[in-house]
Amino acid sequence: MNKASLTALLLASSLALFTGCEGSKNESSAKPTENAAQAQNNVSTATPNGNSNSTATGTPSTPGTPSPSPTSTPSTGSTTGKPTDTGKGAANQVVTAPESISVLVNKQFALPDKYEPTDLVYPDVPFTFKDKIEKRKMRKEAAAALEKLFAGAKKDGIYLAGVSAYRSHATQKTIFNNYVKTDGEEKAKTYSAVPGHSEHETGLAIDVSGSDGKCAAQDCFGGTKEAEWLAKHSSEYGFIIRYLKGKESITGYQYEPWHIRYVGTQMAKEIGAKGITLEEYLNAVPASK
């Protein structure tokens, strides 16, 4: 082989090697973009009530707070844009990721019609009743966390009991309609959710009381040693006090120290440390605020 042929061969080999490395780089760099797009699809970009300030981005609203990792990005649930009938012509959104542990269900975001969790179990904790019925169930992950929470409380001399956990859509409808008959729709909506908008339907929420059942789901529960323990320690087990005092204009409900919601330990600790609501954490404060 003469010198000219050898030079040409070396040049061709070098060019082929360079092209192969760049191709691999392009292939690997495409994956984060695809994953980011998938994560974005799990976060709502809807604007409830037509207000862009209420867009749910799925990131904490407090400046300087690290965002959750891509693998645990909180989700308000992507919306289908389908209006839900909650009265007075409200055009609210239906979440499309109801199975997400961080799903936001409130007066603006509803669960899909006929949604029912597929992993409901009976947590091994005491309730204020003995029957193994619907409202004793929770989703598997939340149930396991609840068992740890009850055990932790017991170590501190606090004895808790479950009052009401999962509710089917039909049950929530019956409960809400009964409250409407008693107090009227406007008043009922301050303490009870319209069917499809209740956290109890997710299987991630539960009302708790002391083991004696006194003040169960009543205002007098606030200030009890059980309520104080929950406010201080529930985030350690992945739960938050969902409806905080002074945040009624954001959550849409009165203060409920007995209603805890499972969101996972990372999110619960961040929310608890800041004393904020799930809406604020997810930057999804309703336009009606």
Side-chain angles (χ1 to χ4, degrees):
M1 181 179 296
N2 58 36
K3 183 176 181 179
S5 298
L6 179 61
T7 300
L9 179 60
L10 290 174
L11 180 61
S13 299
S14 298
L15 181 59
L17 178 61
F18 177 79
T19 303
C21 292
E22 186 66 22
S24 299
K25 180 180 179 181
N26 287 340
E27 181 180 358
S28 61
S29 63
K31 291 181 180 179
T33 304
E34 180 182 358
N35 291 338
Q38 290 173 347
Q40 183 64 32
N41 286 337
N42 287 330
V43 178
S44 171
T45 56
T47 55
N49 298 327
N51 189 317
S52 59
N53 290 332
S54 62
T55 300
T57 63
T59 56
S61 59
T62 306
T65 303
S67 299
S69 64
T71 58
S72 60
T73 301
S75 171
T76 59
S78 300
T79 61
T80 62
K82 176 184 176 182
T84 59
D85 183 11
T86 58
K88 300 184 179 180
N92 297 327
Q93 305 297 316
V94 178
V95 299
T96 57
E99 71 287 348
S100 170
I101 291 299
S102 58
V103 65
L104 177 63
V105 176
N106 60 12
K107 292 189 175 182
Q108 285 70 43
F109 292 94
L111 291 165
D113 291 342
K114 300 180 181 179
Y115 171 71
E116 181 178 344
T118 58
D119 58 347
L120 292 171
V121 298
Y122 292 105
D124 186 15
V125 300
F127 274 74
T128 56
F129 53 90
K130 299 297 183 182
D131 300 328
K132 273 197 168 184
I133 54 179
E134 176 186 274
K135 66 178 182 178
R136 200 180 182 110
K137 295 180 179 180
M138 292 191 78
R139 288 186 57 188
K140 187 174 182 179
E141 182 177 337
L146 186 73
E147 291 172 359
K148 293 178 181 178
L149 182 148
F150 272 50
K154 188 175 182 179
K155 285 182 180 179
D156 291 339
I158 302 297
Y159 298 89
L160 302 173
V163 176
S164 181
Y166 172 70
R167 296 176 197 157
S168 66
H169 184 85
T171 297
Q172 184 62 30
K173 183 176 181 179
T174 298
I175 291 174
F176 180 76
N177 287 343
N178 286 339
Y179 285 140
V180 170
K181 291 177 182 177
T182 302
D183 292 332
E185 183 175 352
E186 185 174 351
K187 177 66 176 177
K189 285 183 177 180
T190 66
Y191 61 83
S192 183
V194 171
H197 290 261
S198 173
E199 282 202 328
H200 286 281
E201 294 178 63
T202 67
L204 299 170
I206 182 173
D207 297 334
V208 298
S209 73
S211 59
D212 58 9
K214 291 182 179 179
C215 294
Q218 298 179 48
D219 293 342
C220 58
F221 181 71
T224 63
K225 60 183 180 180
E226 291 86 2
E228 291 175 353
W229 189 92
L230 285 171
K232 185 176 181 180
H233 297 286
S234 60
S235 63
E236 299 168 15
Y237 302 91
F239 290 88
I240 60 173
I241 305 298
R242 183 65 178 89
Y243 306 119
L244 297 171
K245 182 179 290 186
K247 300 286 188 177
E248 292 85 355
S249 63
I250 295 175
T251 65
Y253 297 105
Q254 65 181 41
Y255 171 49
E256 293 189 0
W258 59 83
H259 180 107
I260 59 175
R261 157 69 194 274
Y262 182 72
V263 294
T265 53
Q266 177 184 337
M267 195 184 306
K269 288 179 179 179
E270 292 178 6
I271 291 173
K274 297 180 187 309
I276 59 176
T277 64
L278 186 58
E279 284 84 1
E280 290 171 295
Y281 182 83
L282 295 174
N283 194 26
V285 176
S288 59
K289 176 181 177 298

